[in-house]
Amino acid sequence: MSRKFSVVAILLAALVSTACSSQAAPPAGNLQTKGDGLIPASKVVDPNSIAKALDFANPSAVAEQARTLATSNCLEALGFTFTPPKTAEVDIYMAMGIPRITEQQALQDGYPKSVFGANEQTEANDVDLSKALYGPADSPKVSAVLGDTEKSISGSGCFADGFKKVYGTIADGMLATGLATDSIHGATLSAAYDDDLGAANAEWAGCIKGTPFPELEGPGAAYAFAQDNPDQALAVAEVDSECREKVNFNQKLDLVIEKYLTTYLHNMEPYINQIQSIRAKAEVRGRSILGG
């Protein structure tokens, strides 16, 4: 008989561990650092660094869709069924706790929702399902290294099988997904401490004084307030977006981020071609899986 479990949560947790990390995660690579996982701002800024960095940090959508399907097929063969979750894309603004928002977005929907914000943990502790996904507890681990950062996952089970079918090897799959994704967080963390961002926050705070939320000190604080006070989330999102527009905050934030992503891209240079090659081959395999 086919055993049906709500396994979205447990697989998504695994995907998150390889596709996204907290904003405080240390940067990967042999980076120029200035302590505590922070990297320096570049004196010469690449105005296209945001797009380039996201292209490197985000895994291939085709490959990840195929990996989810391959994992699903493996589980189904073992008697489990599930609804495959969507692999989340890197959001540098959300990683900084300052999600992007415009006045129109604020009026319609408020702040964007974090894709990891409301996962039900239904039956996530099922022993049989966990074994199907990750193999026995004593399964050998497979490790991969990007610069100074290393990750390990079980070498058996359907989760590993999905990596192998799409990326060729588990290690290459980890490089092209979680390790590349995690590597960007040192840059976003560094940007959060930049003096120019502090100045932009101060301008925004001057604007917010004439609203029902005069105590807020920046868009990050407004977002945190909205999370803690959902009944006022739309109202604070509206005044936040209005003040951002008045002081040109979003553009100033991008200028800050670009300084650190330029450094990040320079530090990732030795790995970019390798990971792009892994992803290109994975897309070929992925299309075959999806087409089959």
Side-chain angles (χ1 to χ4, degrees):
M1 289 181 62
S2 174
R3 302 175 58 200
K4 294 188 177 182
F5 290 91
S6 175
V7 306
V8 174
I10 190 169
L11 185 56
L12 183 55
L15 290 171
V16 171
S17 72
T18 59
C20 190
S21 68
S22 67
Q23 72 180 66
N30 297 313
L31 306 183
Q32 306 170 25
T33 64
K34 56 180 183 180
D36 299 324
L38 304 180
I39 62 174
S42 177
K43 294 181 180 178
V44 179
V45 175
D46 180 354
N48 299 312
S49 58
I50 293 177
K52 291 178 181 178
L54 290 176
D55 183 62
F56 175 73
N58 275 311
S60 160
V62 170
E64 285 300 278
Q65 185 180 356
R67 180 164 74 95
T68 299
L69 179 59
T71 305
S72 174
N73 290 341
C74 176
L75 285 171
E76 186 174 351
L78 297 176
F80 299 91
T81 59
F82 77 108
T83 302
K86 180 182 178 181
T87 301
E89 293 186 355
V90 175
D91 186 333
I92 55 177
Y93 305 107
M94 189 69 79
M96 293 178 67
I98 313 174
R100 197 70 154 203
I101 189 169
T102 64
E103 289 188 63
Q104 183 177 359
Q105 290 169 335
L107 290 170
Q108 291 178 346
D109 304 309
Y111 290 106
K113 305 296 187 294
S114 170
V115 294
F116 307 123
N119 299 313
E120 293 185 10
Q121 298 299 315
T122 308
E123 298 177 297
N125 294 320
D126 179 81
V127 175
D128 291 336
L129 175 58
S130 180
K131 186 176 179 179
L133 272 170
Y134 308 115
D138 59 353
S139 296
K141 302 291 184 183
V142 176
S143 298
V145 178
L146 179 60
D148 297 330
T149 299
E150 180 176 4
K151 281 183 176 290
S152 299
I153 65 170
S154 172
S156 62
C158 290
F159 191 65
D161 185 71
F163 267 127
K164 287 186 284 189
K165 280 187 166 58
V166 175
Y167 291 96
T169 69
I170 297 171
D172 278 355
M174 294 168 69
L175 281 169
T177 57
L179 281 165
T181 296
D182 285 352
S183 67
I184 200 171
H185 295 305
T188 56
L189 180 63
S190 301
Y193 290 99
D194 190 88
D195 289 342
D196 289 342
L197 179 56
N201 279 330
E203 285 188 75
W204 181 96
C207 170
I208 210 76
K209 294 298 182 188
T211 75
F213 309 99
E215 74 284 358
L216 298 177
E217 297 180 349
Y223 176 63
F225 178 88
Q227 298 299 103
D228 292 337
N229 301 274
D231 58 318
Q232 300 182 68
L234 283 174
V236 73
E238 184 176 351
V239 296
D240 174 16
S241 64
E242 290 173 355
C243 283
R244 289 195 200 200
E245 183 69 24
K246 287 179 181 177
V247 303
N248 208 25
F249 181 89
N250 287 341
Q251 289 74 14
K252 291 173 182 176
L253 176 60
D254 280 352
L255 291 174
V256 169
I257 292 172
E258 285 168 359
K259 293 190 290 184
Y260 296 92
L261 289 183
T262 299
T263 299
Y264 162 75
L265 288 167
H266 173 74
N267 290 329
M268 288 292 103
E269 209 168 286
Y271 316 110
I272 290 175
N273 288 339
Q274 175 191 4
I275 288 175
Q276 286 178 337
S277 176
I278 292 171
R279 288 174 178 163
K281 294 174 184 176
E283 286 186 355
V284 174
R285 299 186 193 99
R287 290 191 181 93
S288 177
I289 291 170
L290 295 170

